[in-house]
Amino acid sequence: MTDDSAFGTEPAPATENDPHHGYITDKADYLARLKRIEGQARGISRMVDEEQYCIDILTQVSALSKALERVALGLLDDHLRHCVVDAARLGGPGSEVKIKEASDAIARLVRS
């Protein structure tokens, strides 16, 4: 998991009979990253409980935010490369729904 912009593997194409999420091939990587994020959050809580220096806590909060952002961007990339592309190939109203979902997700990420 050295590539923080996306996880970098190509998921197998889904079919109508075998739908799966775009992140499925990187599920273990996502879970490992999320476990580290959980640990970071517990560490921040511990820092507050121990009344550590404000700037040190803020530094850890910033690192946690960036880690979550990397997960979100990876999931978004997987969604675009897999779910949206597959829906566009199939055509129909499903493709517009997937594009709208992606646009809405991007808007939420930009606002956060």
Side-chain angles (χ1 to χ4, degrees), residues 77-90:
D77 184 67
D78 285 339
H79 181 68
L80 292 171
R81 291 176 184 275
H82 181 268
C83 302
V84 174
V85 167
D86 285 351
R89 283 185 187 131
L90 292 173

Side-chain angles (χ1 to χ4, degrees), residues 10-35:
E10 279 297 315
T15 65
E16 291 182 56
N17 298 330
D18 180 30
H20 62 271
H21 302 292
Y23 64 83
I24 198 73
T25 58
D26 297 314
K27 181 179 174 180
D29 292 333
Y30 280 112
L31 289 173
R33 185 169 285 204
L34 289 168
K35 285 184 187 294

Side-chain angles (χ1 to χ4, degrees), residues 37 39-41 43-45 47 52-67:
I37 289 169
Q40 284 180 286
I44 293 169
S45 178
M47 290 175 78
Q52 293 192 18
Y53 187 54
C54 302
I55 298 301
D56 293 340
I57 296 169
L58 289 169
T59 299
Q60 293 306 310
V61 168
S62 177
L64 179 62
S65 296
K66 287 295 182 187

